[in-house]
Amino acid sequence: MPKSPSKSPSKTLFLPGASGHASFWKPVADRARLDGVFFSWPGLGAEPSRPGIAGIDDLVALVARDITEPVNIVAQSMGGLIALKLALSRPGSVERLVLAVTSGGVPVADLGGADWRPDYFTAFPNAARWIAGPVCDLSSRIPTVKARTLLLWGGADPISPVAVGERLLTLLPNARLRVFPDAGHDLAQTHVDAVAAEIGQHLIDDASASPR
């Protein structure tokens, strides 16, 4: 008989990157036996647009409607910016974070990140143009995030290089960084087993061992 999904003490929200597709985290979640809410981003990637969604803050509000109890957030790339904005605006509601190859509200270009926009709009020509706008620098506020945070990075990622993860490691007071040396920006899809193991330990094992 197959095992039933493992339960993290808190509900888990899965946020994709700018591809916008809700299925992005499903292979990892299935491997880690995690239930959760899988978000898509209206107007991004190949997702249909929706009235009222015209920027990052609208996506933050979209996710916030699902935070009716303490949650964990697992986020890819641009989704990590949304996750950090939620952790900053609702500090008592976000217990654990997993941030994979994210910009995270730090100056990625200054840290060697390549411009992702030309390739993105070639792949998704109908995606909303607001996604290419400037990103606010949250560096001065990130040290106030108390959520236990797992940073997952690819050593071969040109979009969000390891220097970005290292910067976030210095800013977040309760974080650890795991680097996959041969992985790129899509490490959650190319390294499913290893990523699932790291997330499972962070959300399930650590939470079970922590006093409640």
Side-chain angles (χ1 to χ4, degrees):
M1 179 179 297
K3 294 180 180 180
S4 60
S6 299
K7 298 293 183 180
S8 172
S10 300
K11 179 168 72 172
T12 302
L13 310 181
F14 292 90
L15 313 185
S19 65
H21 205 285
S23 67
F24 179 86
W25 282 109
K26 280 292 289 179
V28 165
D30 289 346
R31 200 67 52 89
R33 301 198 302 275
L34 280 168
D35 291 326
V37 181
F38 296 83
F39 285 84
S40 61
W41 302 139
L44 297 187
E47 296 296 306
S49 60
R50 185 189 306 176
I53 302 294
I56 292 290
D57 287 341
D58 295 324
L59 300 183
V60 173
L62 178 70
V63 178
R65 290 199 288 268
D66 248 89
I67 302 180
T68 57
E69 59 187 279
V71 298
N72 300 318
I73 303 179
V74 177
Q76 159 76 5
S77 194
M78 181 211 74
L81 174 62
I82 295 168
L84 281 169
K85 281 177 165 280
L86 288 164
L88 288 165
S89 64
R90 308 185 67 160
S93 297
V94 179
E95 293 194 337
R96 281 173 172 75
L97 290 169
V98 177
L99 305 177
V101 295
T102 184
S103 63
V106 298
V108 173
D110 294 350
L111 295 167
D115 186 357
W116 54 273
R117 291 169 293 187
D119 287 344
Y120 177 78
F121 286 115
T122 296
F124 303 111
N126 296 318
R129 261 39 191 181
W130 55 256
I131 191 58
V135 176
C136 59
D137 188 346
L138 301 178
S139 297
S140 64
R141 300 178 61 200
I142 289 173
T144 67
V145 174
K146 300 297 191 262
R148 294 181 67 177
T149 304
L150 171 63
L151 302 168
L152 299 175
W153 245 261
D157 183 1
I159 296 173
S160 182
V162 173
V164 179
E166 293 171 340
R167 175 67 60 83
L168 287 171
L169 184 65
T170 67
L171 293 175
L172 288 159
N174 198 6
R176 70 179 178 91
L177 172 64
R178 169 73 161 89
V179 177
F180 301 87
D182 62 333
H185 200 64
D186 56 352
L187 66 86
Q189 296 181 326
T190 60
H191 292 62
V192 172
D193 288 343
V195 168
E198 291 284 345
I199 292 175
Q201 179 183 3
H202 184 66
L203 298 188
I204 301 171
D205 297 345
D206 288 355
S208 299
S210 299
R212 300 291 293 173

